[in-house]
Amino acid sequence: AVVSTGSLFAGLGSTQDQARKDWCCEQINKLYVEHNPDKLKDVAGLLEKNAGKEMELYERICKKYGLTPEKYFASSKDEGPASAT
């Protein structure tokens, strides 16, 4: 089950902060789907425990699995991750 951060972070921070948190949640879910599906059930708890430090959590999980973290870039115009060109 893929977890959304919407209810976990309702009312916290700016729209851009929420977009970053959602992006981290999506990346963590993708990582666990591919590398450790049993951990998917733990994502909501991990995000709650690491509220405000989602990017660091994502980077730690990537390191654990020997992966290079994707970079998140957002501007006031585009709040999503940078597309690879």
Side-chain angles (χ1 to χ4, degrees), residues 17-69:
D17 288 342
Q18 184 62 49
R20 181 182 46 79
K21 291 172 186 177
D22 289 343
W23 181 86
C24 287
C25 179
E26 182 180 332
Q27 297 306 310
I28 291 167
N29 276 300
K30 285 181 186 178
L31 193 149
Y32 280 147
V33 164
E34 187 173 335
H35 296 280
N36 193 350
D38 291 338
K39 294 290 263 180
L40 284 169
K41 67 185 181 331
D42 300 331
V43 172
L46 287 170
L47 289 168
E48 191 171 340
K49 182 179 176 184
N50 292 277
K53 299 179 283 185
E54 296 83 8
M55 189 61 76
E56 291 88 350
L57 172 65
Y58 168 60
E59 291 171 353
R60 284 195 316 267
I61 294 169
C62 286
K63 185 176 179 180
K64 178 178 180 175
Y65 293 100
L67 304 170
T68 301

